[in-house]
Amino acid sequence: MSARILDGKAIAKSVREEVARRAAELTARGTRPGLAVVLVGDDPASHVYVKNKDKAALEAGFTVRTVRKAADLSEVELLAVVRELNDDASVHGILVQLPLPKHIDANAIVRAIDPAKDVDGLHPENVARLALGEPGLFPCTPRGCIEICDRSGLAIAGRRAVVIGRSMLVGKPLALMLLARDATVTVCHSRTADLAAVTREAELVFAAVGKPEFVRADWVRPGATVIDVGINRLPDGRLVGDVAFAEVLERAGAVTPVPGGVGPMTIAMLLDNTVLAATRRAGAGARG
Ligand code: NAP
């Protein structure tokens, strides 16, 4: 029997509609959510991502400020841009599009962002808050994975979850989020021995590896849920995930497609983080 295909595009649409409603309420109370996106250089993929983020934020009723800078911008100059956005009360979320040119230390830039505006959830204070179980702003892609499970009625608590990948952007925060939701979590990486045996134990498999069609059907426990974070462009131009979708579909209970799975959720959760930051700011303003 074929698995249920989890429609990330439809789920992302409902998240975005809810965000737009919350943004309209906030705007009516005097705080219009504002997102600032900083783009340095002329990487074509980054330009496409930034354009999509701008468009989505405008559709949600936010103000959008896009700061475009040439690739030879110095680190000091970029730090000044970030500080200016930190001080701008109309900006609630700041996103510096990565990767940055090699002469700029991305960690220094991320650390300069006000943690309350860090809608990518990469500032060490937010990383610590996630680990501590405190409220903060957390990375969009792993949040999107959790949201897909929640909105598809797939239980997390008590389930064995395997995360393949341990990046700061996806694997590690996702593992912490699953742990916070009472899953029994195993994190795998390039040095994991007999990966297939580990994934076969899991009721929930999250693949964030960056290798096309890496997870095969016989790695998957029959009926398991498989969430595919990967985005890989094949030489023939096709876009595929980290999961061999067609064969896993015949064995899993539920699976996300690529495209149309986790990808659209990332932007939806970026909007959600921005409206969350604006709501907190408005609350702090009302108290102060
Ligand atoms: P990354 O930083 O390159 O991390 C990849 C992880 O996979 C690493 O932890 C690595 O292990 C592990 N890995 C590599 N080869 C492996 C192997 N043979 N067996 C087991 N684990 C292996 O990548 P990332 O930023 O997390 O992204 C992962 C994928 O998700 C990419 O395809 C990326 O394009 C995609 N992505 C999608 C979205 C979205 O919006 N849908 C957002 C972000 C990323 P080590 O730590 O041992 O090296």
Side-chain angles (χ1 to χ4, degrees), residues 79 82 96 98 100 105-115 118 120-124:
L79 285 170
V82 170
V96 178
L98 302 176
L100 288 168
D105 176 2
N107 282 331
I109 302 302
V110 168
R111 281 165 201 260
I113 297 172
D114 177 349
D118 167 39
D120 259 345
L122 298 175
H123 189 287

Side-chain angles (χ1 to χ4, degrees), residues 149-213:
C149 293
D150 285 348
R151 290 182 186 244
S152 306
L154 297 161
I156 295 175
R159 296 290 157 95
R160 284 169 291 187
V162 165
V163 179
I164 318 175
R166 56 175 164 180
S167 71
M168 286 310 298
L169 198 60
V170 188
K172 270 187 204 164
L174 178 56
L176 286 169
M177 288 174 196
L178 290 164
L179 202 53
R181 293 288 302 275
D182 300 318
T184 302
V185 184
T186 304
V187 184
C188 300
H189 45 77
S190 64
R191 305 290 297 273
T192 297
D194 202 356
L195 184 55
V198 181
T199 58
R200 269 196 295 270
E201 292 291 311
E203 285 112 6
L204 297 168
V205 177
F206 298 85
V209 193
K211 290 195 185 304
E213 302 179 325

Side-chain angles (χ1 to χ4, degrees), residues 208-257:
V209 193
K211 290 195 185 304
E213 302 179 325
F214 182 66
V215 175
R216 314 303 308 193
D218 63 352
W219 297 26
V220 174
R221 184 188 178 86
T225 295
V226 181
I227 307 287
D228 189 352
V229 181
I231 302 177
N232 309 289
R233 180 76 64 184
L234 296 181
D236 66 7
R238 270 190 312 132
L239 204 63
V240 297
D242 289 346
V243 173
F245 181 77
E247 60 180 67
V248 167
L249 193 62
E250 297 308 314
R251 191 163 160 107
V255 61
T256 58

